[in-house]
Amino acid sequence: MWFFSWLLGKRRSTDPSQTDGSSLETAIVVSDVALEYEYLARRFGQIHVDWELVSQALLQSNDRYFDRMRVRTEEMEVDVFFDVTSTMSR
């Protein structure tokens, strides 16, 4: 997972287990919102075939902004968090 966060934006940590997007604390930092969908496609497969986006929410915690993407596959429903702070200042 750390590779995707490196590929898609700046990493907050050098520890790959700390950038998996499973919480606000481990959110994947992206420099462009479109990269969220690229990450989700790489992780889950083709949208509308392998997975569906159930919901998307913009969250704020302290001085940071996050997108929470709720994804449903046949096996599970999971939240993936992205740090979109850098996109908010544009």
Side-chain angles (χ1 to χ4, degrees):
M1 296 285 190
W2 70 268
F3 174 75
F4 289 115
S5 60
W6 174 81
L7 176 68
L8 301 177
K10 298 178 219 167
R11 288 182 17 211
R12 237 187 281 181
S13 170
T14 56
D15 182 352
S17 67
Q18 294 183 8
T19 58
D20 67 357
S22 63
S23 68
L24 293 179
E25 293 76 23
T26 63
I28 299 161
V29 179
V30 293
S31 57
D32 187 314
V33 175
L35 295 174
E36 295 173 342
Y37 289 92
E38 182 178 330
Y39 172 84
L40 294 173
R42 289 176 186 236
R43 180 170 172 187
F44 298 107
Q46 186 177 353
I47 190 168
H48 304 303
V49 174
D50 302 309
W51 62 279
E52 296 290 333
L53 182 62
V54 176
S55 65
Q56 180 176 4
L58 180 63
L59 309 173
Q60 184 178 7
S61 178
N62 298 320
D63 61 343
R64 310 221 42 97
Y65 292 91
F66 301 90
D67 264 350
R68 183 194 70 212
M69 310 286 270
R70 182 160 294 157
V71 172
R72 181 181 302 134
T73 69
E74 286 187 13
E75 298 83 28
M76 66 181 155
E77 189 166 302
V78 62
D79 289 335
V80 181
F81 294 89
F82 295 93
D83 184 332
V84 296
T85 304
S86 68
T87 67
M88 300 301 287
S89 60
R90 295 181 189 172

